[in-house]
Amino acid sequence: MSALNLKLGQSLGIRPEGEGPAPVLAGGGFEVFFFYSGISQEEVEGFASGALSCGVYVEDAIPVLVLDIDGFGGLEVAFNIYAEPEDKRRAFFESNPWQGEAHLVLCGHPDSVVRAVRTIRPGALMIAEIKKACLDQLSLYRDMTHCFRAMGKLYDAISPEEMRDRTLMRPA
């Protein structure tokens, strides 16, 4: 099911482990599901329609999509290519980065009810940068767990503010 087919108020029918982002590859682009509790209506409106800027921070083959959304705040999304099935990886790597788009879905937690959906176009350079880092993960890390450990170390070593300072942010 594509994020664009989701309806506001619809439950995803899952119970996410915790709050935060869950990226999923979708053809040449990706979808990111954000699970948060206690979201105000003002924050939902900000997420759905606030001006958005994004950039990609990469360290040790871990690409982190950095988002700033007016009326909502900052979000960071790290990608682990090992979390994806082989067919989704292949489609992602083989696609044209100029056609890549991202769908962002804001959901409640723990109920996973869809609160907002929006589409962004991060741009071919950002998509290509994410693809390259994900491809590098396949030779740098042994498996999903090894890559998740590296992601944890990255988040422990650098704050979201430092990531933003080191990232070229552009409107999307």
Side-chain angles (χ1 to χ4, degrees):
M1 171 183 286
S2 168
L4 293 179
N5 296 333
L6 297 173
K7 305 281 187 246
L8 298 183
Q10 173 183 350
S11 174
L12 297 179
I14 62 171
R15 190 164 179 88
E17 271 186 41
E19 290 186 289
V24 178
L25 297 182
F30 53 88
E31 298 174 339
V32 183
F33 294 82
F34 295 94
F35 298 97
Y36 293 106
S37 63
I39 304 166
S40 70
Q41 186 57 36
E42 187 175 86
E43 289 171 313
V44 170
E45 290 168 9
F47 184 94
S49 60
L52 185 143
S53 60
C54 66
V56 177
Y57 176 82
V58 178
E59 189 170 319
D60 297 330
I62 305 293
V64 180
L65 178 67
V66 180
L67 301 166
D68 285 327
I69 306 173
D70 287 347
F72 188 82
L75 300 163
E76 301 79 36
V77 182
F79 290 81
N80 181 339
I81 196 66
Y82 287 103
E84 299 291 345
E86 184 63 37
D87 60 330
K88 283 190 173 188
R89 291 183 208 173
R90 188 173 21 263
F92 182 68
F93 288 135
E94 292 175 354
S95 67
N96 181 344
W98 288 100
Q99 296 173 344
E101 63 183 17
H103 307 291
L104 309 178
V105 182
L106 179 63
C107 300
H109 183 270
D111 60 13
S112 72
V113 170
V114 176
R115 304 284 308 272
V117 179
R118 74 184 290 176
T119 300
I120 64 167
R121 292 183 96 36
L125 295 177
M126 281 189 225
I127 296 284
E129 198 171 355
I130 291 170
K131 284 183 181 193
K132 181 187 179 322
C134 286
L135 189 59
D136 291 345
Q137 285 179 8
L138 294 172
S139 59
L140 189 60
Y141 302 107
R142 290 184 303 274
D143 55 26
M144 184 170 54
T145 302
H146 190 211
C147 192
F148 275 132
R149 277 192 211 118
M151 289 166 68
K153 287 179 185 175
L154 173 65
Y155 280 128
D156 288 344
I158 186 168
S159 71
E161 294 78 22
E162 289 175 296
M163 273 189 210
R164 278 170 179 72
D165 289 344
R166 298 179 189 180
T167 302
L168 174 63
M169 301 293 284
R170 299 181 357 193

